[in-house]
């Protein structure tokens, strides 16, 4: 009964948004524009410690730009990460809760590779010592804390392989989580998950879960999105979420963005309509996108006659 109610909650959000809900854009990108220094293993979560008011300011900027869904600053906010900075477990849990209360929408649950901060969320190569149980143990307490903070949605992001997707699905079941969730993968070739596994393989466990309401792609180049939506439509009946990056390439080891062809706001405005027409019902931006990107997407999806 609870699961059916939550499914309606997410579908109602999309319906109220006019058939496609707008997700916010690059969070760390906007923090840096305001002068934050986040070249750190905690990334944007560093501001939970140093400047929570700035996090709230960025959330408000995305709301004003037309976002229906705010993804929290918890992507690289992990308890092991906070412990490594000298914080206690209790202090780390309070910061996780704060990430939700500053937005009260969709906590970002980054992959294990995001915690490693070595770029492995873009390769899916976690090494032979990382198994299903280790991944569930890694995510479990963070998930429990975020759920207690009372979010509307749960966003598992930048998942690079089948194993971690399965861990997320099993964890939702084991913890009896009735908050609607989505699981989004990245892609470095426009065809498969970063691990090289097919999306058909990656979606096997997800398609069997009633707790995962949407699947999709995040932090992949925008020119991959059309074909990936078509692929996902063939593989699942779940809602589809897409929020690509600008098209710039992140060097996870050098910790910098490489010069590359990227989408400007006009292109996002043009392609958002195509993505929606192809079947995406949750659309936004990821790294290097800004409130002006989200404003362009929101304008074309919510007020097409003005575009």
């Amino acid at each position: 009964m609870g699961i059916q109610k939550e499914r309606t909650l997410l579908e109602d959000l999309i319906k109220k948004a006019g058939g496609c809900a707008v997700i916010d854009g690059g969070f760390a990108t906007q923090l840096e524009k305001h002068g934050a220094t986040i070249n750190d293993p905690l990334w944007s979560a560093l501001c939970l410690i140093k400047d929570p008011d700035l996090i709230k300011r960025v959330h408000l900027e995305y709301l004003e730009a037309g976002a229906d869904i705010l993804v929290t600053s918890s992507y690289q906010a992990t308890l092991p990460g906070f412990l490594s900075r000298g914080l206690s477990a209790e202090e780390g849990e309070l910061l996780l809760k704060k990430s939700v209360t500053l937005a009260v929408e969709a906590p970002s649950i980054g992959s294990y590779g995001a915690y490693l901060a070595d770029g492995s969320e873009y390769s899916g190569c976690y090494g032979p010592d990382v198994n299903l149980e280790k991944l569930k143990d890694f995510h479990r307490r963070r998930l429990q804390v975020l759920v207690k903070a009372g979010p509307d949605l749960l966003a598992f992001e930048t998942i690079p392989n089948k194993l971690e997707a399965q861990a997320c699905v099993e964890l939702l079941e084991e913890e009896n989580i009735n908050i609607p969730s989505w699981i989004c993968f990245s892609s470095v070739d426009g065809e498969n998950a970063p691990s090289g596994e097919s999306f058909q393989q990656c979606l096997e466990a997800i398609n069997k879960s009633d707790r995962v309401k949407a699947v999709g792609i995040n932090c992949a180049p925008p020119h991959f999105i059309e074909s990936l939506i078509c692929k996902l439509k063939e593989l699942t009946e779940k809602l589809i979420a897409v929020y690509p990056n600008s098209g710039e390439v992140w060097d996870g080891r050098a910790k910098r963005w490489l010069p590359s062809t990227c989408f400007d706001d006009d292109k996002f405005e043009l392609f958002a309509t195509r993505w929606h027409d192809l079947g995406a019902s949750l659309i936004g931006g990821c790294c290097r996108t800004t409130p002006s990107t989200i404003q362009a997407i929101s304008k074309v999806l919510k007020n097409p006659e003005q575009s």
Side-chain angles (χ1 to χ4, degrees):
M1 190 74 175
I3 294 177
Q4 181 64 42
K5 178 183 176 183
E6 297 299 349
R7 185 191 312 161
T8 303
L9 184 152
L10 183 56
E11 290 175 348
D12 279 354
L13 171 64
I14 292 168
K15 185 177 180 180
K16 288 175 183 176
C20 188
V22 177
I23 305 169
D24 64 7
F27 201 80
T29 303
Q30 197 64 9
L31 290 174
E32 288 181 318
K33 284 196 170 186
H34 288 305
T37 301
I38 55 174
N39 187 8
D40 185 275
L42 288 176
W43 205 33
S44 58
L46 186 64
C47 284
L48 285 170
I49 302 172
K50 292 191 170 184
D51 196 351
D53 287 341
L54 180 56
I55 288 177
K56 195 163 191 176
R57 177 180 174 183
V58 171
H59 283 318
L60 289 172
E61 287 172 342
Y62 277 114
L63 281 176
E64 290 168 358
D68 300 301
I69 297 172
L70 299 177
V71 180
T72 70
S73 54
S74 53
Y75 177 74
Q76 278 179 228
T78 65
L79 294 174
F82 286 135
L83 289 172
S84 72
R85 298 300 293 260
L87 299 175
S88 68
E90 184 180 9
E91 288 170 329
E93 290 183 8
L94 286 172
L95 287 171
L96 280 174
K97 291 176 184 176
K98 181 180 283 189
S99 76
V100 178
T101 57
L102 288 170
V104 194
E105 276 289 353
S108 170
I109 304 171
S111 63
Y112 181 68
Y115 155 65
L116 296 176
D118 62 0
S120 57
E121 69 265 47
Y122 299 108
S123 70
C125 299
Y126 290 162
D129 296 332
V130 177
N131 57 27
L132 184 66
E133 292 306 315
K134 181 167 184 174
L135 288 172
K136 286 197 288 187
D137 288 345
F138 168 75
H139 283 294
R140 190 181 305 275
R141 184 55 187 159
R142 174 169 56 159
L143 178 64
Q144 292 170 342
V145 173
L146 289 171
V147 166
K148 283 183 180 178
D152 302 309
L153 305 165
L154 294 170
F156 293 90
E157 299 185 306
T158 328
I159 301 301
N161 55 36
K162 175 184 175 180
L163 186 68
E164 192 156 19
Q166 184 179 346
C168 295
V169 169
E170 291 189 12
L171 201 52
L172 289 169
E173 192 65 37
E174 290 171 13
E175 296 295 323
N176 193 28
I177 305 299
N178 289 329
I179 299 169
S181 306
W182 74 57
I183 295 178
C184 283
F185 298 86
S186 51
S187 179
V188 295
D189 64 3
E191 293 284 336
N192 304 295
S195 61
E197 294 164 310
S198 71
F199 283 112
Q200 183 172 7
Q201 293 173 301
C202 291
L203 290 177
E204 284 176 7
I206 293 172
N207 282 335
K208 296 174 185 175
S209 172
D210 289 330
R211 299 179 191 274
V212 180
K213 305 306 179 189
V215 298
I217 304 294
N218 79 286
C219 215
H223 56 273
F224 288 170
I225 298 300
E226 281 193 38
S227 62
L228 288 173
I229 292 172
C230 293
K231 187 183 291 288
L232 291 175
K233 286 292 286 184
E234 294 174 357
L235 296 173
T236 188
E237 294 181 0
K238 295 187 183 295
L239 299 168
I240 293 177
V242 294
Y243 45 119
N245 57 38
S246 67
E248 295 165 83
V249 178
W250 173 250
D251 184 332
R253 296 197 176 275
K255 302 287 191 293
R256 65 187 183 94
W257 290 96
L258 303 176
S260 50
T261 303
C262 60
F263 270 36
D264 59 18
D265 294 344
D266 290 340
K267 274 198 173 181
F268 267 97
E269 183 177 330
L270 173 65
F271 278 83
T273 304
R274 294 192 197 177
W275 299 337
H276 179 44
D277 290 343
L278 287 170
S281 52
L282 297 147
I283 297 175
C286 201
C287 294
R288 308 292 275 184
T289 61
T290 67
S292 65
T293 312
I294 299 310
Q295 186 172 32
I297 292 172
S298 178
K299 182 179 79 169
V300 74
L301 292 177
K302 297 179 180 179
N303 304 293
E305 67 284 351
Q306 296 179 16
S307 302

